[in-house]
Amino acid sequence: MDASANLVQAIGLGKQVETGEGMLVILDDINFVVAAGASVALLGASGSGKTTLLGLLAGLDRPSSGRVLIDGQDLEALDEDGRAQLRAERIGFVFQNFQLLQGLSALENVMLPLELAGAAEPRREAGELLARVGLEKRLGHYPNQLSGGEQQRCAIARAFAARPSLLIADEPTGNLDPHTGARVIELLFELNQARGATLVMATHDEALAGHCGQRLQLQAGQLV
Amino acid sequence: MLTRDWRGGELQLLAVALLIAVTSVSAVGFFVDRAERGLARQAAALIAADLVVSSAAPLSPAFAQQARAQGLATAQIRQLRSVALAGERLQLVEVKAVSPGYPLRGELRTAPQAYAPDRPAAGIPPRGEAWVQPRLLQALGLEVGDSFQLGEQPLRIGRILSVEPDPGGDMFSVAPRVLINLDDLPATGLLGQGALVNYRLLIAGEAAAVQTSRANLALQLRGGEKLLQARDGRPELRSALERAQRFLSLAALVSVLLAGVAVATAARRFARRHFDTSAILRCLGATQGRIARAFGLEMLWLALLASTAGVLLGVAAQALIARLLERLLLVPLPPPSWQPLLPGYATGLLLLLGFALPPLLALRQVPPLRVLRRDVPVRAARGWPLYAAMLVAMGVLSYWQLGDARLVLTVFAGMLASVALLALAARLLILLLGRLRGRVGVAWRFGLANIARRPGASVVQLVAIGLGLTVLLLLSTVRNDLLRDWRRSLPPQAPNHFLINVQPDQVAGIRAFFADQGVARPVLHPMVRARLVSLNGKPVSSHDYAGERAKHLVTREFNLSWAARPQADNRIVAGRWWSPDEQGQAQLSLEAGLAETLGIALHDRVGFRVNGRVREFRVTSLRQVDWDSFNVNFFTLVPPGVLAGEPASYVTSLYLAAADKPRLAALVQQFPNVTVIDIDAVLTGVRRLIGQVTRAVEFLFLFTLAAGVAVLYAAIQTHRDERRYESALLRTLGARRGVLLRGLLAEFLTLGALAGLLAGLAASALAWALAAQVFHFAYRFDPAVVAWGVLAGVLLVGAAGWLGTRRALNQAPARSLREAL
């Protein structure tokens, strides 16, 4: 396989943490690649290490062993600010509990990544994105004035704002009722396709995983 | 639970705040207690003993034996008037014959020559020798080493007597002192029939033994024998110490109140972090009462531990203060007593009860449903009981510290007004900020949004920080003004000599003398001796009064003086000063303290016997006199012309530099009857006192500063978790460290600048009120205070904010996110 076509490469990835009772192995020797434009479902029971793996892929945390390459760039070769820069330019996030900044309005939340990436017209672009997710009438509202589904739609708009090549989603429907969850997923895949991004999504929803082209199953910190 | 919560951080802050409060309260408590008792010893120096038995007849030797049996030290004095003879010249003298051990309290100082530097005397004059005041040398034309005749005994002048602790009687007495050995007295033959001798037994020692001895002696006294006990020390020392004590107490109180704010802030955060614990406990079946008890006990332990540490630190701190003040009193300070322990512990408990418990009680109300849904709101503790508890705690603490309702009210009114104004101004400023944020970059928008998003919390923070800064600014301004005022009250050229007994026909000559010497141009005040005989037509006697000071005042001679205008250091507090056309009328202006002691009111008629004739005056004004100025001042003043023709002498005070002192020799040669009194020693003492009190005040100020910083830190820590979480989230979205740092700085600097601005204005207003109401000095508005406020706010809040959040900046975002969630 051509290395340049692989957007994400995990090589011998391991994560251990020190606890009172010795070392706890969370991830052990994880190896996989994700091709650019692919969609991957990361499946596993609660505590299997899904969220930790996503954190490592995005450079939010550092592995105990192994390395992660994004578009050929080794994350370990970058410092904290370098990784932040990389995220600003190439990675978008959707979280289970939305993670909108409470002090900023919906519009300001979506503007944030645009501004961090140095976009020319952050306000206009953010407005368009919010219209796209159906929140054009709620630009000035604060997160606590939005319903759960609205918050997640806002978060999706924010995730795609800076045109990331990689979208990382952590149980995006975990906090939503089935109906709202289905609408959000629709939107997520629609935007993903439209923008040609690569999607890595952690979930334990088999139906949701069925939408994805590739499945990775985690069990007790190992890929099975 | 205590140890587990300790790691949470809020408890540490609670403990530090308590520690600061308890330490400063007990340091001041211990110190004031010691200084009070030290001052009592100082007062003892004025009678050269703790207790004196005085009589016109020989005292029973049993008195001294009993005292010694109780482990007390004793000494004897015989005092009489006699005449010293040298060749053809005669001089009336006050003879004081003393036994070894004199003085039991205070210090005797002598010099080898007149007006030469003196030093403490070792013991008393040896037999055959006399130590005399320089006036005797002038009067008899003698030098040190010459002899004179006292009764039948020749005495050699051994040294010049410069300071005796117990001059007794009238400072303006004309007869110079002659101090001799008690064993020489019989040989003079002055103790014959009809001699007016004052016999005194001096007693000193442990306070308890002195009290026992006093009680014993009181039962044995015969007619004509009286007991004197050290009461009131030197008034100029007392007034300086009282002001110092007031300021120290105020500083301590402010530390306590600031610590209270820090405690309240930390407790709120502690409560918030324990919502989940409480919810789980309630789910598991714990009752509200049980939860309240659990947290209550935890706080009680904390209060006890922190108070114990605070009291111990207080003991150490007062030792430092006492060292600073060691040479302030001529006697060493007594060791600390354990009395101030109580206020220390009480402060710790009250602070927690009043400031920490109310927010903690909200924990009882946590709905168990929160276990399932974290966003279930927790009803905050009800507003008014919370604030009422704080107010009551503050009131009790303040009154305890200051013991002065008026000062407490001033401080309180000031604080409440500041809080209200700060809150109002903070709200307005936050509204303004909200409009501003559309026009700034991402970092500043984030920072400003942080302030504007929680208007309630931001107002609380602004008020807490503003209050802290207000108090710090206030204290530093009041402190500077107060110290400046003190120093000004005793300028380097304060009068250090008094000239008394100047005759009316010598006034012009004296003025000319000093004009020729180019030294000073003294103002000479007339005075006429008078005795108080009646009040509103009724005769006055010492039996009419209970207080010793009043009894003493009634029996002593008053010096009536006259003046057309009041002196600059006098302030009319009741009635009014006479106008020029009222000159010659029988009006009287009394010093307010004297009027109070003697129970004389405005418009009363006061009768004085002047030169054998009773003259009646109506009190038309009361004056407050600044005795600290060391200018000549009079208790009793009348308009010019009333006492024309009465036998008057003149008195003046003037400053002479050390180099100019020898000119006094020429003065006394030209005017032999004029008496020169040198108060340089007293002045040096007072100057030293002011210097030392200044240092003590500055030392205590450090505690207040620490309390203020604790408040700032607590206020900033309130939202630490949210800040860390948000920082992590921003980094996840790709914000670099610089952007985050700018955002946080934007928030803290804005907060700091706003709080500083408000604090500067509030402190200026409060300083003005305190200056006018409590410390009585003129206040000038100083714009620099506001500038300092803004600067201090920006620096302190910026530094504290950076310290509190820098970890979030340096940590991997996944870790911060996990910790925060």
Side-chain angles (χ1 to χ4, degrees), chain B residues 472-543:
Chain B
L472 293 182
L473 285 172
L474 174 66
L475 220 52
S476 49
T477 20
V478 172
R479 162 177 149 274
N480 286 337
D481 285 343
L482 198 63
L483 297 182
R484 206 174 38 228
D485 191 56
W486 276 348
R487 292 200 195 100
R488 203 175 28 221
S489 73
L490 199 57
Q493 305 220 329
N496 56 357
H497 289 84
F498 286 94
L499 299 188
I500 61 170
N501 205 26
V502 177
Q503 298 308 304
D505 57 0
Q506 293 175 321
V507 170
I510 294 271
R511 283 204 188 107
F513 175 86
F514 283 106
D516 289 350
Q517 302 273 335
V519 175
R521 195 170 281 274
V523 181
L524 287 120
H525 303 269
M527 60 185 221
V528 170
R529 295 250 165 172
R531 212 169 265 281
L532 177 68
V533 289
S534 70
L535 180 56
N536 292 324
K538 282 195 295 200
V540 168
S541 108
S542 62
H543 300 300

Side-chain angles (χ1 to χ4, degrees), chain B residues 672-700:
Chain B
N673 63 301
V674 171
T675 303
V676 178
I677 294 167
D678 185 342
I679 57 160
D680 246 355
V682 173
L683 284 181
T684 310
V686 172
R687 281 209 185 87
R688 205 162 48 199
L689 168 93
I690 290 176
Q692 287 162 337
V693 165
T694 306
R695 271 192 285 166
V697 164
E698 278 166 355
F699 176 67
L700 206 77

Side-chain angles (χ1 to χ4, degrees), chain B residues 129-344:
Chain B
E129 193 172 305
W131 296 352
V132 305
Q133 285 185 320
R135 275 180 277 150
L136 183 69
L137 301 187
Q138 300 156 23
L140 297 181
L142 298 177
E143 305 258 326
V144 173
D146 293 345
S147 289
F148 66 93
Q149 195 75 24
L150 186 66
E152 295 159 16
Q153 172 82 6
L155 291 164
R156 199 180 70 85
I157 299 174
R159 295 184 72 79
I160 296 297
L161 184 62
S162 58
V163 176
E164 54 179 332
D166 54 338
D170 195 339
M171 185 181 178
F172 297 149
S173 156
V174 190
R177 169 78 72 216
V178 171
L179 189 74
I180 64 169
N181 194 305
L182 187 63
D183 293 338
D184 278 336
L185 193 58
T188 59
L190 296 176
L191 293 178
Q193 280 287 317
L196 283 176
V197 183
N198 174 234
Y199 294 84
R200 270 185 272 170
L201 169 66
L202 309 185
I203 299 172
E206 282 297 312
V210 169
Q211 284 314 315
T212 319
S213 176
R214 178 186 159 85
N216 278 340
L217 286 168
L219 294 174
Q220 302 173 44
L221 290 188
R222 291 168 301 181
E225 290 174 346
K226 59 182 181 176
L227 271 175
L228 303 175
Q229 192 169 16
R231 284 250 182 260
D232 224 12
R234 296 184 356 215
E236 80 281 358
L237 267 184
R238 180 161 285 278
S239 89
L241 258 186
E242 261 168 17
R243 270 168 140 182
Q245 182 187 334
R246 215 169 225 216
F247 187 81
L248 291 179
S249 303
L250 192 63
L253 171 66
V254 163
S255 315
V256 170
L257 296 186
L258 275 179
V261 178
V263 165
T265 318
R268 266 177 61 149
R269 180 155 177 262
F270 177 84
R272 257 211 332 247
R273 294 214 352 167
H274 284 72
F275 282 162
D276 289 340
T277 321
S278 307
I280 293 168
L281 283 174
R282 286 200 67 191
C283 256
L284 297 178
T287 60
Q288 291 196 353
R290 202 188 165 106
I291 290 173
R293 268 200 305 282
F295 286 111
L297 267 178
E298 185 176 1
M299 288 299 123
L300 190 69
W301 274 111
L302 183 71
L304 284 178
L305 288 175
S307 301
T308 304
V311 166
L312 289 177
L313 269 177
V315 173
Q318 65 79 31
L320 245 164
I321 302 184
R323 273 192 61 138
L324 290 176
L325 294 182
E326 208 162 34
R327 276 159 308 188
L328 164 92
L329 308 160
L330 297 174
V331 288
L333 276 183
S337 76
W338 293 110
Q339 230 166 6
L341 271 183
L342 187 66

Side-chain angles (χ1 to χ4, degrees), chain B residues 458-692:
Chain B
S458 293
V459 167
V460 170
Q461 278 193 346
L462 268 179
V463 169
I465 297 172
L467 208 57
L469 284 172
T470 302
V471 168
L472 293 182
L473 285 172
L474 174 66
L475 220 52
S476 49
T477 20
V478 172
R479 162 177 149 274
N480 286 337
D481 285 343
L482 198 63
L483 297 182
R484 206 174 38 228
D485 191 56
W486 276 348
R487 292 200 195 100
R488 203 175 28 221
S489 73
L490 199 57
Q493 305 220 329
N496 56 357
H497 289 84
F498 286 94
L499 299 188
I500 61 170
N501 205 26
V502 177
Q503 298 308 304
D505 57 0
Q506 293 175 321
V507 170
I510 294 271
R511 283 204 188 107
F513 175 86
F514 283 106
D516 289 350
Q517 302 273 335
V519 175
R521 195 170 281 274
V523 181
L524 287 120
H525 303 269
M527 60 185 221
V528 170
R529 295 250 165 172
R531 212 169 265 281
L532 177 68
V533 289
S534 70
L535 180 56
N536 292 324
K538 282 195 295 200
V540 168
S541 108
S542 62
H543 300 300
D544 301 343
Y545 294 97
E548 299 213 359
R549 181 171 138 83
K551 281 181 191 292
H552 173 71
L553 280 170
V554 169
T555 49
R556 65 161 244 174
E557 278 196 319
F558 281 87
N559 297 309
L560 296 186
S561 182
W562 59 85
R565 279 182 305 278
Q567 273 175 245
D569 52 3
N570 283 214
R571 200 161 58 94
I572 307 291
V573 291
R576 58 171 193 83
W577 187 258
W578 37 81
S579 58
D581 53 345
E582 286 170 324
Q583 294 192 356
Q585 294 182 10
Q587 298 191 22
L588 180 66
S589 175
L590 278 181
E591 193 259 346
L594 175 98
E596 198 186 320
T597 308
L598 294 182
I600 303 175
L602 204 60
H603 309 310
D604 279 355
R605 284 175 295 125
V606 181
F608 285 103
R609 187 187 303 279
V610 182
N611 196 19
R613 202 156 58 91
V614 174
R615 309 271 302 256
E616 202 164 62
F617 300 86
R618 187 171 291 279
V619 180
T620 53
S621 66
L622 298 178
R623 281 169 298 128
Q624 204 151 50
V625 174
D626 178 13
W627 296 105
D628 296 351
S629 70
F630 286 87
N631 289 319
V632 174
N633 261 300
F634 296 91
F635 283 123
T636 44
L637 282 173
V638 299
V642 189
L643 294 175
E646 301 292 357
S649 71
Y650 283 75
V651 55
T652 187
S653 62
L654 63 144
Y655 171 76
L656 282 180
D660 288 328
K661 279 200 180 187
R663 296 174 200 267
L664 287 173
L667 179 83
V668 294
Q669 236 166 18
Q670 199 176 334
F671 306 99
N673 63 301
V674 171
T675 303
V676 178
I677 294 167
D678 185 342
I679 57 160
D680 246 355
V682 173
L683 284 181
T684 310
V686 172
R687 281 209 185 87
R688 205 162 48 199
L689 168 93
I690 290 176
Q692 287 162 337

Side-chain angles (χ1 to χ4, degrees), chain B residues 427-440:
Chain B
R427 261 227 123 81
L428 283 175
L429 287 172
I430 287 169
L431 267 177
L432 277 177
L433 277 187
R435 311 217 159 158
L436 198 70
R437 67 190 237 223
R439 303 172 197 187
V440 291

